[in-house]
Amino acid sequence: MSEPPASLDRAALQGARVLLGVSGGVAAYKAALLARGLVTHGAHVQAVLTEAATRFIAPAQLAALTGRPVPTDVFDDAHRIVHVDLARQADVAVVAPATANALGKLAGGLGDDLLSSTLLCLTAPLVLAPAMHTEMWEHPAVVANVATLRERGVVLVGPEHGPLAGGDEGPGRLAEEGAILDAVAAALAPAGRGSGELAGVRAVVTAGATREHLDPVRYLTNRSSGRMGYAVAGALARRGAHVDLVAGPGELPDPPGVTVHRVETAREMHAAVVERAQDAAIVVGAAAVADFRPAQAADRKRKKGATDEPEQVTLVRNPDILADVGARKRPGQVLVGFAAETHDEEAHGADKLGRKGLDLIVVNRVDAHDAGFAVETNRGVLLTADGQRIALPLASKEALAETLVDHIVARRTGADLPERTPPR
Ligand code: C5P
C-alpha cells in the first residue's frame, strides 16, 4: 500500500506530546525508527520501556533519539509519581510493539510496572501496535483482550501478515512505521488537531467479499480483496469521521482510526450494516456481496455419494444491503455504491444508482489489468443522482478514495469541490 503524503495527514503530529511505550518483543528494535519518525514530524516524544524491552533495545538509544531520559521503573524519580505525571503530559500514547502480555495487562486493568501503570492513568487516546507470533495473536485469550480494548475505544494498528522471528510467517508482524504514524496522527485528529471536514460525522463502509457456506469446509466467494473499501474507510477517518468498517474475511491491516467489524456472510454483513446505518450520515458499499447463497449450509461435510452423479446445489437470494439502507434513507444521508462490471458498465451503474436509492456510484470494469478486484489501482466513472458523470482516471485506490470523499463532502455541504493535487 502506498503511504499518504506526510504533509496532508500527519500535520497533527507537529508539536504533539507522544508517549511511546515499548514492551518486550523482538520488534522492540523498530521502536527506534518510530521514535525518529515521530520526532521528524515535529512530535515531542517521551519513551517508556518495560523491563523486558530493555533486553531488546537500549534506553540510551531512545533517549538519544528523543532528547529525553527514558524511565523504565516506577521507582525512578518516585517523588514525582512518575506514572501519573507521564500520563497527564501525553496528548496521545502509542505502544509499539505491544506484546500479548501488554495487551492482557491493559485489558485486565493491571499496573505492575511503569508502562502498565502509566497506561492506567491515561485519559488521552491510545494506539496499540501488537506484534507477536501468530499462535499468540490467535489465542482466544488474546482475541478476547483485543475485543475488550477495541470496545473501550483503543485504536489497534496491525499486526500485519509477514515474516516473523524464528523463520515463521503469518499474522503477527508489527505494522509498518508509516501506518503507525498515520494511526497516531488520526488519533490526535478528533481532539481538534487535524483537519476534519467530517469531524463528528458517523460513516459506515462495507469492504471485501462475503463467504456463503456450502458445508463446514466449502463456500462460495469472489475475488474482491477489500482494498477499495479499506481505502475509503481510511480516507473518511482522516477527515475526522467516526468510521465503522464492516469487512468480509481478509488479511488487510485495520485502517488507522477505523473501527473494524469482521463478518463472513452477506446476512451477517446486512445485520451489521443495517443496525449502524440508522445513525450514519454516510454509507459506502464497497463490498462485493454474494447475490446468492446455498439454500442449505450442511453442518457436516457433504460427501461425494456412491455414484458419480453431481449434487445439485439450490441457491437462494441474499438481502441487498445497500438497497435496504436506501429504502430507509434518512434526509441528508449520503449513500454511495460501487458497480463492478465486465460490460455496459455505465448503463448498469446508472440503473443501480436509481434502483438502490444512491447519491453516488463508482462504476468500474473488473476485467482490466489495472482496475477492479485484487489490484492496487482503480479507474472508472462516478455517476451522481443528479445526472453528473465524472471520470475517475487511473490512480491508486487510496488516491481514488480521497477523490470520492471529496465528492461525498461536497454533496453534504453543497459546496464546490476543493482543488486537489493530482493523484499520486
Ligand atoms: O447489484 P450489485 O451487486 O452490482 O451492486 C453493487 C453495489 O451494491 C455495491 O455497492 C455493493 O456493495 C452493493 N450490494 C449490497 N448488497 C448486495 C449486493 C450488492 O450492498 N447483496
Side-chain angles (χ1 to χ4, degrees):
M1 220 188 267
S2 59
E3 278 188 27
S7 54
L8 251 186
D9 308 309
R10 298 186 188 147
L13 293 172
Q14 180 67 43
R17 298 169 304 169
V18 181
L19 180 87
L20 169 61
V22 184
S23 58
V26 186
Y29 75 94
K30 295 183 184 169
L33 296 173
L34 180 60
R36 195 191 54 182
L38 288 164
V39 169
T40 307
H41 285 87
H44 306 293
V45 181
Q46 172 65 66
V48 178
L49 272 64
T50 64
E51 181 68 36
T54 63
R55 310 270 188 118
F56 294 102
I57 180 167
Q61 190 179 8
L62 285 170
L65 286 166
T66 61
R68 280 157 207 264
V70 176
T72 54
D73 197 313
V74 215
F75 300 107
D76 293 344
D77 256 349
H79 64 284
R80 274 206 304 133
I81 328 258
V82 191
H83 58 295
V84 179
D85 219 30
L86 287 171
R88 284 191 186 148
Q89 288 181 25
D91 296 319
V92 66
V94 53
V95 183
T99 58
N101 186 50
L103 298 178
K105 286 205 289 190
L106 192 57
L110 301 182
D112 65 350
D113 64 2
L114 181 59
L115 180 59
S116 54
S117 309
T118 304
L119 294 178
L120 286 183
C121 295
L122 188 79
T123 52
L126 173 60
V127 176
L128 300 176
M132 63 197 75
H133 261 77
T134 307
E135 291 88 334
M136 289 176 111
W137 177 245
E138 290 176 351
H139 189 284
V142 176
V143 170
N145 289 336
V146 167
T148 302
L149 292 167
R150 279 206 171 107
E151 250 162 52
R152 275 188 216 147
V154 171
V155 175
L156 276 103
V157 51
E160 288 177 6
H161 189 283
L164 303 169
D168 293 334
E169 182 161 340
R173 195 176 156 79
L174 184 71
E176 291 298 324
E177 181 196 329
I180 303 177
L181 290 173
D182 287 342
V184 176
L188 283 161
R193 289 180 151 275
S195 62
E197 300 142 293
L198 296 177
V201 170
R202 298 189 81 89
V204 177
V205 181
T206 69
T210 61
R211 282 181 184 169
E212 310 300 329
H213 293 276
L214 280 154
D215 67 21
V217 293
R218 304 183 182 96
Y219 50 77
L220 304 177
T221 191
N222 60 65
R223 289 176 49 224
S224 170
S225 65
R227 263 193 208 121
M228 192 65 236
Y230 273 60
V232 173
L236 288 165
R238 281 195 288 277
R239 310 283 177 103
H242 177 111
V243 186
D244 284 302
L245 172 63
V246 182
E251 283 173 354
L252 296 175
D254 293 359
V258 169
T259 309
V260 182
H261 309 272
R262 303 217 174 263
V263 295
E264 268 203 88
T265 66
R267 284 190 293 175
E268 287 167 9
M269 187 175 275
H270 182 265
V273 170
V274 167
E275 180 196 332
R276 292 177 174 86
Q278 288 168 358
D279 303 326
I282 299 165
V283 180
V284 182
V289 185
D291 291 324
F292 296 95
R293 67 178 181 278
Q296 299 272 310
D299 49 9
R300 301 174 69 186
K301 188 178 168 194
R302 290 172 192 253
K303 306 305 288 179
K304 272 196 278 295
T307 68
D308 282 339
E309 217 31 56
E311 191 184 345
Q312 302 293 316
V313 175
T314 307
L315 298 178
V316 292
R317 191 116 206 146
N318 267 330
D320 190 317
I321 304 169
L322 262 189
D324 281 359
V325 173
R328 296 168 213 189
K329 186 173 170 183
R330 284 203 340 245
Q333 227 176 10
V334 179
L335 305 187
V336 185
F338 279 76
E341 307 291 342
T342 54
H343 59 282
D344 296 336
E345 60 268 29
E346 290 195 35
H348 285 134
D351 171 57
K352 284 172 193 172
L353 181 88
R355 203 159 27 86
K356 301 191 191 216
L358 307 178
D359 299 281
L360 301 170
I361 193 160
V362 177
V363 182
N364 65 288
R365 296 283 291 240
V366 281
D367 54 353
H369 70 281
D370 55 3
F373 289 154
V375 292
E376 304 263 344
T377 51
N378 209 354
R379 66 187 152 90
V381 174
L382 181 67
L383 304 178
T384 73
D386 46 18
Q388 290 181 60
R389 178 191 180 281
I390 300 143
L392 299 170
L394 183 68
S396 71
K397 286 183 174 169
E398 286 72 25
L400 196 131
E402 292 289 349
T403 306
L404 178 60
V405 173
D406 286 344
H407 285 275
I408 293 173
V409 169
R411 203 99 211 145
R412 284 174 47 75
T413 58
D416 287 340
L417 275 185
E419 283 295 323
R420 178 166 273 287
T421 42
R424 287 153 268 139

